[in-house]
């Protein structure tokens, strides 16, 4: 993918991930979204990147921040939440900016309901990490750093 220009990654979390740590700990663990930001930021720092973190419950806001990343980020870590399984528009946004991205799911979506088995994003992702808990965000940041070399 070549030398990173901006030395910055974008972390995007989609709908309902602001609820992390408040309920469903058996599925999503006890960590909060702030904990996720801290893990991702510390990992990014370790591999020489800044990290911009964003969460929204609104599809359009997520698409806007992905578009904006084209100007000053080198890659994206994204947990699209439930939009994973529904959103052609999010896929088009990620394809459109042509930045490498890693898709993260805290839970093992393949061990859950059938409707969670399909992702509109996975086919164009650089990597997909599922079921590793919030550590998946660390793996994703490290993988992007490797890809961006
Ligand atoms: O496992 C993941 O990270 C998911 O992307 C999480 C989404 C779900 O729709 C995907 O199938 C898999 C849901 C995020 C909702 O997060 C909550 C966290 C705590 C309590 C309630 C919801």
């Amino acid at each position: 993918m070549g030398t990173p220009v901006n030395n910055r990654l974008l972390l995007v979390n989609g709908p309902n991930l602001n609820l992390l740590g408040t309920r469903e700990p058996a599925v999503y663990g006890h960590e909060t979204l702030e904990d996720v930001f801290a893990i991702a930021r510390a990992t990014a720092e370790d591999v020489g990147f800044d990290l911009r973190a964003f969460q929204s419950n609104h599809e359009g806001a997520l698409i806007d921040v992905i578009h904006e990343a084209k100007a000053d980020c080198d890659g994206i870590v994204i947990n699209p939440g439930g939009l994973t399984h529904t959103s052609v528009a999010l896929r088009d946004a990620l394809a459109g900016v042509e930045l490498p991205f890693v898709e993260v799911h805290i839970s093992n979506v393949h061990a859950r309901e059938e409707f969670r088995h399909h992702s509109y994003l996975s086919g164009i992702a650089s990597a997909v990490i599922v079921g590793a808990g919030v550590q998946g965000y660390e793996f994703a940041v490290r993988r992007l750093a490797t890809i961006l070399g």
Side-chain angles (χ1 to χ4, degrees), residues 14-146:
N16 298 308
L17 286 158
N18 54 310
L19 298 177
L20 272 182
T22 66
R23 50 190 101 131
E24 296 199 55
V27 181
Y28 298 114
H30 291 280
E31 295 90 347
T32 65
L33 189 62
E34 282 305 318
D35 294 331
V36 166
F37 290 167
I39 289 165
R41 193 162 279 124
T43 308
E45 199 173 300
D46 189 45
V47 292
F49 283 81
D50 287 336
L51 184 113
R52 176 185 303 145
F54 183 77
Q55 188 276 331
S56 178
N57 295 322
H58 305 278
E59 187 172 13
L62 297 166
I63 291 169
D64 285 344
V65 83
I66 289 166
H67 289 178
E68 287 159 16
K70 183 70 180 168
D72 63 356
C73 293
D74 303 309
I76 299 173
V77 174
I78 183 165
N79 183 343
L83 292 172
T84 306
H85 319 297
T86 64
S87 182
V88 174
L90 206 51
R91 176 193 172 107
D92 289 345
L94 288 159
V97 296
E98 295 181 315
L99 292 173
F101 75 91
V102 177
E103 177 183 346
V104 174
H105 298 288
I106 297 167
S107 65
N108 179 359
V109 286
H110 300 291
R112 300 181 66 192
E113 304 95 323
E114 187 84 31
F115 68 83
R116 297 187 201 276
H117 298 185
H118 175 261
S119 164
Y120 278 95
L121 309 190
S122 294
I124 58 165
S126 296
V128 182
I129 298 166
V130 307
V134 298
Q135 195 180 13
Y137 291 91
E138 175 186 341
F139 298 153
V141 168
R142 290 196 188 281
R143 182 64 194 157
L144 268 183
T146 299

